[in-house]
Amino acid sequence: FRSVIAPISGAHQYDELHVPWSIAVNSFRLHIINRLENDYGMTTEAAYARHSYALSHYDKDIDDILKKFIRDYPGGKGLPVLFDRPPTLKRGSQQFLYVTHVKTDVHDYSINISTLVLRAMNADIR
């Protein structure tokens, strides 16, 4: 996924990543649909429709599913991702981070990251 980066405000670990609602809902589409079918008893068609609507609208049940994914991932820190800022030219410009939070404001498209890991990827925060 690609988006504007912004700093994480408040207390956090250096390897945390906070992602926008639309990115999380789109990235975990199959997992969300599977949970809607298995945990909420939806048909496949209803689960797909619910997911499609949630791409642009907040949905409490899908938020709960995403929080459960983050909480229950083995290791307990969050969902692991490789994060970089193209072009990846320097050593250290690709970072191993954890998605620890999905932002629920559907109009906030920024990715929040700790300012402690920006230097290697030559990123600046606005």
Side-chain angles (χ1 to χ4, degrees):
F1 42 84
R2 178 182 171 99
S3 189
V4 172
I5 57 174
I8 296 175
S9 59
H12 64 278
Q13 298 291 316
Y14 75 93
D15 58 354
E16 287 188 51
L17 195 65
H18 298 181
V19 297
W21 176 260
S22 59
I23 285 176
V25 171
N26 193 37
S27 296
F28 300 109
R29 175 178 52 124
L30 295 177
H31 303 289
I32 291 169
I33 290 168
N34 183 44
R35 291 292 101 216
L36 289 171
E37 289 174 346
N38 293 330
D39 295 350
Y40 294 85
M42 292 184 165
T43 65
T44 301
E45 294 80 15
Y48 268 95
R50 181 96 173 254
H51 172 267
S52 293
Y53 184 77
L55 286 168
S56 58
H57 299 83
Y58 174 75
D59 184 295
K60 172 77 169 101
D61 292 335
I62 291 178
D63 187 28
D64 291 341
I65 290 168
L66 291 168
K67 286 177 182 172
K68 185 171 175 24
F69 287 160
I70 292 169
R71 183 183 65 242
D72 294 348
Y73 194 84
K77 191 159 192 173
L79 302 171
V81 295
L82 291 175
F83 185 82
D84 71 344
R85 181 180 177 267
T88 303
L89 300 174
K90 296 179 6 176
R91 170 175 286 212
S93 60
Q94 193 169 55
Q95 302 284 325
F96 183 75
L97 304 173
Y98 293 92
V99 174
T100 59
H101 178 70
V102 174
K103 300 188 292 183
T104 57
D105 180 357
V106 296
H107 301 294
D108 182 357
Y109 299 106
S110 64
I111 295 170
N112 296 93
I113 187 171
S114 174
T115 57
L116 299 174
V117 297
L118 292 179
R119 184 178 176 113
M121 62 180 79
N122 194 29
D124 59 348
I125 291 188
R126 307 256 181 240

